[in-house]
Amino acid sequence: MTTLPDARLYIDGKLRDATGGATFEIINPWTGEPVGQAADATAADVEEAIAAARRAFDETDWSTNVEKRLVLMKKYRDLFERERPRLAELAIKEAGAAQGAVGRAHVGMALDGWDEYMNVFGKLEWEKDYGEKPAFGLIHKRVGVREAVGVVGAITPWNVPLYVNIGKVVAALLAGCTVILKPAPNTPGMGAIFGELAKEAGFPAGVINVVFGADPALAGEMLVTDPRVDLISFTGSTGVGKRIMEQGAATLKRVFLELGGKSAKIVLDDAPNFAMDVAMTMLVFHAGQGCAVQSRLLVPRSRYEEAKVILKGAYGKFGDNWGDVSNPEHIMGPVVSKRQMERVKSYIDLGKEEGATLLAGGNIRPDKGGGWFVEPTCFVDVTNDMRIAQEEIFGPVLVVIPYEDDEDAIRIANDNSYGLSGGVSGSHDRALHIARRVRTGSMSVNNGMCIAGDIPFGGFKASGMGREWGLEGIEEYTDVKMLAWPVGQVEPA
């Protein structure tokens, strides 16, 4: 049953179907059945979107008229507020979000992040005075001018699509860039709404364009390789991020990459709420489909057996309180697709083969419905060299690793190619010391919230480069030009 409106392309100020009229089905992760259809963009459609974005940047005042941008962006934000119910429906039916996760991350946190962008935008320093300096017998005045980088290709994932779409599109538009948004094939509707509301808001033609298709590579590779696109902003897997860097090298493409993670939560032996800190790492929110989730739990060997008992009880208490699309208290639903379900299950099977002990879960749950349901799963007796401890699973699978002392905990946390997020709980000074030594882009100390729309977010190592959100997130889409002119002569000594 199709219940979502058709997802249409938005190119050069026009909402339209794909060239030739081809479409593909949007599959509901809860049921495994079609819930809508989307335009299947062709190479010609992508070409038109790139040309429109280039023309809008080069031939209009969008990049220089800050007041005009701010007025339109406020109107755009108001239209998204009006569409909250529809955004929630898209999060549920496209991304498989449970109702209890919609307000907290999929819609609420996303729109709050938009507001934070608007709040910090006024702090952006468009011109900076570098003072005067003598050179070659003259005194020179120096001024730095910040300018929009140009045309941006924003390539976004399916896990929290509205949050990531806003993180890229709003920042780039505020900076004065023009944008081609390419959402994932699983969640085209959450991209299409950006085109629909841009048209209603009255954006100049070509400033924002939205293209998507059944083939996840077609539009993405065109954006990455086209010299008319100045910057690629990508959130997704590390493997695809590496390919973007390779393909973009030919045109010296500037890239922002927010990639995978295998973040560690370290619970110290003196954590005031040891049981709570252990239990709350159950990887159940949105079925563990988050790049910044803490999927490695590190506990002291001296309290390892205690931690197992705590987790056994926590998973038992959680039980079957998940996977009901009608329950507003549930925070976990299906994974996004059959392919993802099979991937997660293959890692569960691998964990058993590697010798880890399955403490909870581990099964596919077809009884939950026709969609893609994987039980909340926990492995103990895990060593950090196992693949389930090193590789990003992107599902509800937690691994629990013992450590000997603080130095060993830091070593294990850093012994991974990723470095996106993490956490540590314990006495404040000790926990803060450890947090400073873990090589990761953000680190929560005693459950402090270090991911918000007004502060930068991004990764170290294979988790990417650049920062999204906050003032730094807008600055990613700008370049600095230096200007200098003589203002006098150097007086003879």
Side-chain angles (χ1 to χ4, degrees):
M1 179 180 178
T2 53
T3 58
L4 295 177
D6 290 351
R8 304 180 73 198
L9 309 178
Y10 183 65
I11 300 172
D12 203 13
K14 301 181 181 67
L15 285 168
R16 62 175 183 76
D17 298 329
T19 301
T23 62
F24 65 98
E25 291 181 329
I26 305 169
I27 304 299
N28 186 341
W30 292 88
T31 65
E33 297 295 331
V35 72
Q37 64 179 14
D40 193 359
T42 66
D45 297 323
V46 181
E47 160 64 29
E48 187 177 343
I50 294 171
R54 186 75 259 170
R55 184 170 59 252
F57 185 83
D58 293 339
E59 300 178 11
T60 76
D61 68 346
W62 177 256
S63 67
T64 56
N65 194 331
V66 177
E67 183 178 350
K68 176 180 181 179
R69 296 203 301 271
L70 199 54
V71 168
L72 276 172
M73 292 303 289
K74 287 178 178 177
K75 185 176 182 180
Y76 205 24
R77 170 65 179 87
D78 290 342
L79 291 173
F80 271 83
E81 184 65 33
R82 185 194 71 192
E83 296 297 324
R84 269 186 188 259
R86 182 178 166 196
L87 294 169
E89 183 183 25
L90 285 166
I92 292 168
K93 293 181 178 179
E94 284 193 336
Q99 285 195 51
V102 168
R104 288 168 57 183
H106 287 268
V107 177
M109 189 173 177
L111 294 180
D112 288 347
W114 189 322
D115 293 335
E116 296 286 6
Y117 266 149
M118 301 295 281
N119 290 338
V120 301
F121 180 64
K123 300 177 183 178
L124 189 63
E125 196 172 11
W126 294 101
E127 290 196 9
K128 182 177 179 180
D129 188 345
Y130 283 83
E132 297 177 358
K133 187 177 180 65
F136 302 107
L138 296 174
I139 298 173
H140 303 267
K141 177 73 173 178
R142 293 92 48 78
V143 174
V145 180
R146 193 172 288 277
E147 299 181 355
V149 74
V151 176
V152 171
I155 304 173
T156 59
W158 44 257
N159 59 326
V160 279
L162 180 63
Y163 184 78
V164 183
N165 289 348
I166 286 174
K168 298 184 187 307
V169 171
V170 173
L173 292 177
L174 284 172
C177 296
T178 58
V179 178
I180 304 119
L181 170 63
K182 193 214 81 71
N186 306 77
T187 53
M190 200 65 96
I193 196 169
F194 279 77
E196 295 174 29
L197 299 185
K199 182 173 180 61
E200 185 175 349
F203 275 78
V207 165
I208 178 168
N209 306 270
V210 185
V211 295
F212 38 76
D215 181 354
L218 186 146
E221 294 198 359
M222 287 184 68
L223 293 173
V224 171
T225 56
D226 197 300
R228 293 169 295 177
V229 177
D230 299 291
L231 183 149
I232 293 293
S233 181
F234 171 75
T235 295
S237 73
T238 297
V240 175
K242 290 178 180 179
R243 181 169 174 79
I244 285 172
M245 291 190 72
E246 292 171 357
Q247 290 186 319
T251 56
L252 292 178
K253 194 81 69 192
R254 184 165 159 183
V255 295
F256 163 74
L257 303 175
E258 197 267 277
L259 307 176
K262 193 70 176 180
S263 302
K265 169 66 179 286
I266 303 169
V267 181
L268 302 176
D269 54 9
D270 66 353
N273 299 298
F274 183 86
M276 182 191 73
D277 280 311
V278 168
M280 68 187 296
T281 57
M282 286 194 306
L283 207 55
V284 294
F285 188 85
H286 194 38
Q289 297 171 115
C291 52
V293 298
Q294 297 167 6
S295 54
R296 288 185 295 157
L297 172 60
L298 277 53
V299 294
R301 191 174 294 279
S302 61
R303 302 188 72 174
Y304 194 60
E305 295 305 317
E306 179 186 353
K308 289 182 185 180
V309 173
I310 292 167
L311 285 166
K312 187 75 173 177
Y315 276 95
K317 185 177 180 179
F318 191 74
D320 261 359
N321 295 316
W322 64 281
D324 182 352
V325 71
S326 65
N327 193 322
E329 296 183 359
H330 281 193
I331 60 173
M332 175 173 166
V335 295
V336 76
S337 65
K338 182 179 181 181
R339 177 182 178 183
Q340 188 64 17
M341 179 182 72
E342 292 171 346
R343 171 185 163 85
V344 174
K345 184 60 167 66
S346 73
Y347 272 103
I348 294 172
D349 294 341
L350 175 64
K352 296 175 186 177
E353 294 170 9
E354 290 184 304
T357 301
L358 193 61
L359 183 77
N363 299 308
I364 303 297
R365 290 291 297 273
D367 59 299
K368 289 285 183 180
W372 326 121
F373 298 92
V374 183
E375 281 183 328
T377 299
C378 179
F379 280 105
V380 296
D381 304 323
V382 177
T383 58
N384 199 52
D385 59 346
M386 291 180 181
R387 285 180 58 193
I388 58 168
Q390 287 292 318
E391 299 176 15
E392 185 177 46
I393 298 174
F394 224 70
V397 182
L398 176 70
V399 300
V400 190
I401 304 169
Y403 65 86
E404 302 298 335
D405 54 24
D406 290 7
E407 290 299 315
D408 193 39
I410 295 167
R411 179 192 64 78
I412 293 171
N414 285 332
D415 182 20
N416 193 274
S417 61
Y418 296 111
L420 187 58
S421 184
V424 55
S425 294
S427 57
H428 178 74
D429 289 347
R430 184 180 171 197
L432 189 60
H433 172 75
I434 289 172
R436 292 183 184 277
R437 293 184 59 196
V438 176
R439 293 285 299 161
T440 186
S442 59
M443 194 73 176
S444 170
V445 178
N446 287 319
N447 303 307
M449 186 60 175
C450 54
I451 299 176
D454 62 333
I455 55 178
F457 175 76
F460 290 6
K461 303 188 288 186
S463 289
M465 59 185 67
R467 292 296 179 267
E468 202 152 61
W469 299 107
L471 185 60
E472 294 85 349
I474 301 173
E475 290 176 341
E476 283 287 342
Y477 298 95
T478 65
D479 269 328
V480 175
K481 176 191 291 180
M482 289 304 305
L483 305 175
W485 58 91
V487 293
Q489 292 185 329
V490 177
E491 293 295 330

